[in-house]
Amino acid sequence: MDGKDLAELYRVRFSQDQLPRKRAIWGVICRDWLQKFVQPGATVVDVACGYGEFINNIEAKRKIAIDLNPDARSFLGDEVEFHQCLATELGSAVRGEADVIFTSNFLEHLPDKQVLNAFLDQVMLALKPGGKYIILGPNLRYLPGEYWDFFDHHLGLTHLSLSEALQLKGFSIDTCIDRFLPYTTQGALPTHPGLVKAYLKLPFAWRFLGKQFFIIAKKPLA
């Protein structure tokens, strides 16, 4: 899909009245979970930033957002640098400057494993030595049917297959949680920010409701 097609797809998928709740949920996820993996002085890159729910809420010295959708720019805070480009151009846009690269529900949209390999090469180029790639994504192991309910899902991944792909590229796996967040905010589960806050404090609940993996991969120091 080009930028115009992406813009239209996401206008259909996420109505304007859903966006404030999504932003509130991500505010909780960032403050109560993700921030502990991101130092305040870090340079953070959000690839496929969408409507900016992560990059607007995370605290960092320098924030960079990348997306092919031109609509994304209008949702980002003034402090966020925006690059409208392909994810496979990441290494050119941010070459060796990133302490943290983040993607959420993105890798399943890549057309095939060849493009995934190319993207992981770009992540390696963009990260500083010792930098972290933080990944959230639907786990095909726990979503064998629902995984394909979205028109733009092409690549099936589990926490194990993605970890293997990362290790083949030279990353080490620092954290791998196979069941973390529920699949989508559009499901039947309660999505009030207060309930999300409580959910993040109850790992035993992840075993029943979690359908997304959470992985942190590190680039070698040398």
Side-chain angles (χ1 to χ4, degrees):
M1 289 186 177
D2 61 17
K4 183 179 178 181
D5 289 337
L6 276 175
E8 182 59 29
L9 175 64
Y10 282 95
R11 289 187 199 115
V12 170
R13 184 168 294 167
F14 302 110
S15 63
Q16 288 295 314
D17 61 349
Q18 290 178 302
L19 297 184
R21 176 57 63 91
K22 282 192 69 189
R23 286 193 288 267
I25 291 169
W26 273 96
V28 173
I29 294 171
C30 286
R31 288 191 304 272
D32 288 33
W33 180 258
L34 293 171
Q35 192 65 61
K36 62 186 172 183
F37 305 108
V38 179
Q39 297 300 313
T43 293
V44 179
V45 182
D46 186 2
V47 180
C49 66
Y51 294 126
E53 291 92 351
F54 166 78
I55 201 66
N56 286 335
N57 282 293
I58 205 73
E59 293 183 17
K61 184 176 181 180
R62 184 183 178 197
K63 301 182 183 184
I64 302 169
I66 290 175
D67 206 289
L68 193 58
N69 180 358
D71 286 355
R73 185 191 298 272
S74 64
F75 292 91
L76 302 176
D78 293 339
E79 77 282 8
V80 180
E81 303 171 34
F82 179 65
H83 297 265
Q84 185 185 344
C85 65
L86 293 167
T88 48
E89 297 170 353
L90 168 65
S92 299
V94 188
R95 193 172 188 90
E97 302 173 69
D99 296 290
V100 176
I101 292 173
F102 176 79
T103 59
S104 173
N105 289 256
F106 165 66
L107 300 180
E108 66 274 15
H109 299 280
L110 298 176
D112 52 44
K113 292 179 180 178
Q114 183 177 355
V115 176
L116 173 61
N117 279 326
F119 172 67
L120 295 179
D121 287 336
Q122 293 296 301
V123 172
M124 190 69 84
L125 281 174
L127 283 171
K128 296 176 182 177
K132 293 181 284 192
Y133 177 26
I134 301 176
I135 313 160
L136 273 169
N139 195 333
L140 181 60
R141 173 173 286 204
Y142 306 119
L143 292 161
E146 293 174 88
Y147 193 95
W148 305 112
D149 285 346
F150 292 97
F151 179 69
D152 53 346
H153 283 196
H154 304 289
L155 183 61
L157 293 167
T158 72
H159 62 295
L160 295 176
S161 62
L162 180 55
S163 294
E164 187 172 62
L166 289 159
Q167 290 172 310
L168 287 170
K169 287 295 180 182
F171 291 94
S172 61
I173 304 301
D174 183 70
T175 301
C176 182
I177 301 172
D178 63 332
R179 289 180 177 266
F180 181 45
L181 295 179
Y183 185 31
T184 172
T185 59
Q186 295 177 303
L189 294 175
T191 57
H192 187 281
L195 294 175
V196 175
K197 186 178 181 72
Y199 178 82
L200 292 171
K201 294 179 180 179
L202 299 170
F204 77 87
W206 305 354
R207 306 309 305 167
F208 301 98
L209 302 177
K211 299 294 179 69
Q212 296 194 54
F213 51 66
F214 177 79
I215 295 173
I216 299 178
K218 284 190 175 180
K219 177 176 177 175
L221 288 169

